Amino acid sequence: MSSSESIVKPPVHEYKENIEICDNPLTTRYASKEMSFNWSPKKKFSTWRELWYALAIEEKALGLSQITDEQLEEMKKHLEISEEEIEKATEYEKKFRHDVMSHIHSFGDSCPTARSIIHLGATSCYVGDNTDLIQMRDGMKIIQTKLLRVMQLLKIFSLKHKDLPCLGFTHFQPAQLTTVGKRATLWLQDFLFDFQQLVFQLDNLPCRGVKGTTGTQASFLHLFNGDHEKVKQLDNNVCKRIGFKKSIGVSGQTYTRKVDYQILSVLSQIAQSAHKMATDIRLLMSMKEIDEPFEKNQIGSSAMAYKRNPMRCERICSLSRFVMSLVENTAQTHANQWFERTLDDSANRRLSLPQAFLGVDGILNIVANVCNGLVVWPLVIEKHVQSELPFMATENILMAAVKAGGDRQTLHEVIRVHSMEAARRMKEEGAENDLFQRLVNDEHFKAVLSEENIKEMLNPKLYIGRADRQVEEFILNEIDIIFAEYEDLIPEASRDYQLTV
């Protein structure tokens, strides 16, 4: 049965916190219920049962007469695992020290007629690895939708502020002007690249399929009396039944753990993009040019009541660093697998895979919340622009003065002297930038340019280049194409990603 047809649905009840055990902040504070359920024991173990059921159906269809319709019907009735059945499996595991065998026995207790054919020909990785891939696939689909929402919000913001001039910064020093909207397209482009990488992984993700103990399919070849074509057909049919286009070409006991690395690399890229954007916003907040959302009763500091700390963006950065660090686990795990398989991957993967998905889910929830409520302060931005613009405008002023009959070398020296003095007063005395007034009052410029001529050259929009056009062109040529292709996946504009805490 394909993922879209799964009988396992997220619970409707609220999460109840147990204050006597260590919780996982990713599930209690940051990630959505949707993503938390995707990595829950209920989803995992119910998927195991769906995989056993899929295997039995396809084995019977290919001629295994020992599998009956009665057995299949009995299995179908117990695909969604209950809390009691999970508890029973836990008791079995204490005895067997084997998680898959404990669940085979628990499933068999619920399906006594089918007990004898559950897991027929399979190895533990048939349910374990295929379930991991199903959870990663379904997790990527959740993330795909949230990435589209973030891109949608950044598109709106970029267009709204496409021609609002602001200081550009290189080396965190004032540089040539850009616009607020153009800067936002840099964030948007990063998420676009992440989206494209995510789509590639989704389109090319294989399932492990039906491969047997060491990947040779020997047990299935024995079941089908040496019929290679039936074994190949079994693998193909099960693969399609669980919602994949293909199974991995060859495997040991497990699918290559390089797949985990590739997927977590994409999640890391999303975290990198979010971290860069959030860092930019934090810096802009310190300059009071932009604010992240701040609620009416929100408290910025327990000591300094006036503060509006960038809590959301700081949280994005914090979670992003955690997600980025998890990629190293998958690299080491893949590199350290011996021959067809060693079990030193298991405990690590139980931690790193779900936490990477839960982390990125939480990050994108906060990013969407921030992007949906960003506040821009144009007058503060204009003040900062005007403090630097006279320096940036001097080349245009010089050219205009020369065209009007002035001596280029003389005027260049006049500008240099006045610029140095204006900069000195700004730094030593905290004075405003008076370079414009100095040039207006200088006799060398008075002779060739009027005050109005010079003032016209201090319009910030003269110095933003093609920034506003670049915003329009980038969105039209790259972003809107993605939105048209994935229109059905874009969440409703009214959807609001509220923070849990």
Side-chain angles (χ1 to χ4, degrees), residues 442-453:
D442 189 281
E443 293 301 324
H444 294 86
F445 278 94
K446 278 185 176 181
V448 290
L449 289 178
S450 68
E451 178 176 347
E452 191 60 34
N453 291 147

Side-chain angles (χ1 to χ4, degrees), residues 19 28 52 79 81 87 112 126 150 162 167 170 202 219 223 392 395 418 446:
I19 63 173
T28 59
W52 282 318
L79 293 181
I81 197 168
E87 289 171 4
Y126 167 69
V150 166
K162 65 182 180 182
L167 285 178
T170 58
L202 275 169
S219 57
L223 278 174
M392 299 175 190
E395 186 173 7
H418 284 313
K446 278 185 176 181

Side-chain angles (χ1 to χ4, degrees), residues 288-339:
K288 296 181 171 55
E289 291 194 1
I290 286 180
D291 275 332
E292 67 174 31
F294 194 89
E295 297 166 23
K296 180 180 179 182
N297 296 314
Q298 183 174 328
I299 296 173
S301 168
S302 62
M304 295 166 280
Y306 60 88
K307 292 195 76 179
R308 290 184 59 156
N309 294 334
M311 173 271 288
R312 289 164 170 80
C313 287
E314 288 174 321
R315 184 176 292 178
I316 291 169
C317 292
S318 183
L319 288 171
S320 295
R321 288 199 303 273
F322 174 71
V323 170
M324 286 185 276
S325 75
L326 294 175
V327 180
E328 178 67 17
N329 283 284
T330 55
Q332 293 288 346
T333 295
H334 174 246
N336 283 287
Q337 285 294 285
W338 300 353
F339 302 116

Side-chain angles (χ1 to χ4, degrees), residues 149-150 152-154 156-157 160 277 291-293 365-375 492-498:
R149 177 59 174 151
V150 166
Q152 183 184 53
L153 291 168
L154 283 173
I156 294 169
F157 183 86
K160 182 178 180 180
M277 185 196 85
D291 275 332
E292 67 174 31
N365 289 342
I366 307 168
V367 170
N369 180 271
V370 168
C371 291
N372 197 37
L374 275 178
V375 180
E492 294 181 6
S494 60
R495 181 167 181 180
D496 191 11
Y497 291 100
Q498 292 294 333

Side-chain angles (χ1 to χ4, degrees), residues 217-317:
Q217 299 176 308
S219 57
F220 297 104
L221 192 62
H222 179 74
L223 278 174
F224 289 103
N225 301 314
D227 190 329
H228 288 264
E229 290 305 314
K230 282 192 175 181
V231 175
K232 288 164 61 178
Q233 193 63 45
L234 176 67
D235 187 35
N236 184 60
N237 290 352
V238 169
C239 175
K240 289 182 178 178
R241 181 170 285 276
I242 62 176
F244 287 84
K245 301 175 190 174
K246 62 183 179 180
S247 67
I248 198 161
V250 291
S251 74
Q253 188 173 96
T254 69
Y255 66 83
T256 172
R257 298 311 187 211
K258 183 174 284 289
V259 174
D260 298 345
Y261 176 80
Q262 290 172 340
I263 292 174
L264 261 68
S265 293
V266 176
L267 300 186
S268 172
Q269 290 177 54
I270 295 170
Q272 294 162 32
S273 301
H275 194 295
K276 188 268 189 291
M277 185 196 85
T279 300
D280 283 354
I281 294 173
R282 289 165 66 187
L283 293 170
L284 292 169
M285 284 184 67
S286 74
M287 298 159 60
K288 296 181 171 55
E289 291 194 1
I290 286 180
D291 275 332
E292 67 174 31
F294 194 89
E295 297 166 23
K296 180 180 179 182
N297 296 314
Q298 183 174 328
I299 296 173
S301 168
S302 62
M304 295 166 280
Y306 60 88
K307 292 195 76 179
R308 290 184 59 156
N309 294 334
M311 173 271 288
R312 289 164 170 80
C313 287
E314 288 174 321
R315 184 176 292 178
I316 291 169
C317 292

Side-chain angles (χ1 to χ4, degrees), residues 5 76 79 93 109 154 259 271 274-275 348 356 375 377 397 400 433 443:
E5 297 169 334
K76 186 176 182 180
L79 293 181
E93 189 171 1
D109 289 346
L154 283 173
V259 174
H275 194 295
N348 189 296
V375 180
W377 301 110
I397 294 172
N433 188 339
E443 293 301 324

Side-chain angles (χ1 to χ4, degrees), residues 136-192:
M136 287 194 284
R137 178 196 65 195
D138 294 351
M140 284 193 285
K141 288 180 179 179
I142 295 170
I143 288 169
Q144 183 182 31
T145 297
K146 294 189 176 184
L147 264 178
L148 285 168
R149 177 59 174 151
V150 166
M151 292 165 62
Q152 183 184 53
L153 291 168
L154 283 173
K155 169 190 169 180
I156 294 169
F157 183 86
S158 298
L159 288 172
K160 182 178 180 180
H161 302 289
K162 65 182 180 182
D163 58 354
L164 176 57
C166 66
L167 285 178
F169 288 93
T170 58
H171 313 277
F172 201 35
Q173 301 299 310
Q176 194 173 68
L177 299 189
T178 183
T179 68
V180 172
K182 170 62 191 301
R183 176 176 286 142
T185 62
L186 302 181
W187 308 332
L188 176 55
Q189 181 175 246
D190 283 348
F191 285 120
L192 169 63

